[in-house]
Amino acid sequence: ARAGGVPSTAGADHAPTVVLRLGRPPASKVLAQWLAASGARQVQVDPSGRWIDPEHTALIIIDMQQGMRAPAAGKRNNPQAEENIAKLLDAWRAARAAVVHVRHVSRTPGSPFWPGQPGAEFQPELRPREGEHVVEKKVPDAFIHTGLEAWLRDRAIDALVIVGVSTNNSVEATARTAGSRQAACNAIP
């Protein structure tokens, strides 16, 4: 099901459903390899039929911090998420497309995501590299009070691929806001 142009992840099982806006090469080849490796059950392509344009598309990686691996984060329906996101990140880097890493900074003392806690640090395999943009957020939506929208606009980025572990929380909240701001938005659970 779709709501407001955003794929619904409610009740999702272990096999991801991937919704993409596709454009021109070269990102397409590496993305296709990632899709094949991810075990995606279904790939839906929007009617434009275009390849992903690496000059105008950003990969947004939401909350891939060490705290997401903690038992306190709860049971997950996507235990392979880190591996799949790392493959997609490698593909994105190979295409030299924009990457945005979003870090959740908790306002609750004692949270695994409280500043200075090990859980607030990025997972090693998904750690930002020099030149990759990092956004810190305090609410589920990565657009709220972060400057993300201005950063994307300044770079003429109008399409997003959004990934993360918490698809029914921060990924969904960010995708909904991106869609309401007229970005071509794709969430990959």
Side-chain angles (χ1 to χ4, degrees):
R2 293 172 63 93
V6 177
S8 172
T9 57
D13 60 15
H14 296 294
T17 297
V18 181
V19 181
L20 297 173
R21 169 182 173 245
L22 298 175
R24 67 171 199 238
S28 61
K29 289 182 183 177
V30 286
L31 186 60
Q33 291 170 348
W34 176 82
L35 287 170
S38 75
R41 177 184 57 229
Q42 179 181 7
V43 178
Q44 299 173 336
V45 181
D46 84 352
S48 71
R50 295 178 293 181
W51 298 94
I52 287 179
D53 177 357
E55 293 179 26
H56 301 284
T57 306
L59 173 63
I60 299 184
I61 302 173
I62 308 263
D63 301 344
M64 293 312 302
Q65 296 158 256
Q66 302 214 28
M68 289 306 231
R69 292 181 168 164
K75 185 178 177 186
R76 294 177 26 193
N77 71 346
N78 54 358
Q80 75 292 350
E82 285 88 350
E83 179 183 339
N84 289 338
I85 292 169
K87 289 176 187 175
L88 183 57
L89 178 58
D90 288 344
W92 222 259
R93 287 171 171 161
R96 298 181 185 206
V99 177
V100 177
H101 298 266
V102 179
R103 177 195 326 254
H104 183 73
V105 179
S106 180
R107 297 182 284 183
T108 305
S111 164
F113 305 104
W114 181 259
Q117 299 297 316
E121 298 301 317
F122 287 107
Q123 295 179 24
E125 66 274 20
L126 300 168
R127 191 170 287 137
R129 289 186 182 167
E130 186 175 331
E132 294 177 346
H133 190 57
V134 176
V135 170
E136 292 192 347
K137 65 179 183 63
K138 295 182 178 171
V139 297
D141 188 334
F143 283 94
I144 303 297
H145 305 297
T146 65
L148 177 58
E149 185 172 6
W151 187 89
L152 295 168
R153 187 175 42 251
D154 289 348
R155 286 153 185 80
I157 294 172
D158 61 2
L160 307 174
V161 173
I162 303 172
V163 296
V165 171
S166 189
T167 55
N168 64 337
N169 191 351
S170 296
V171 172
E172 182 177 355
T174 301
R176 287 182 181 280
T177 298
S180 70
R181 286 173 165 74
Q182 305 304 310
C185 181
N186 308 285
I188 300 179

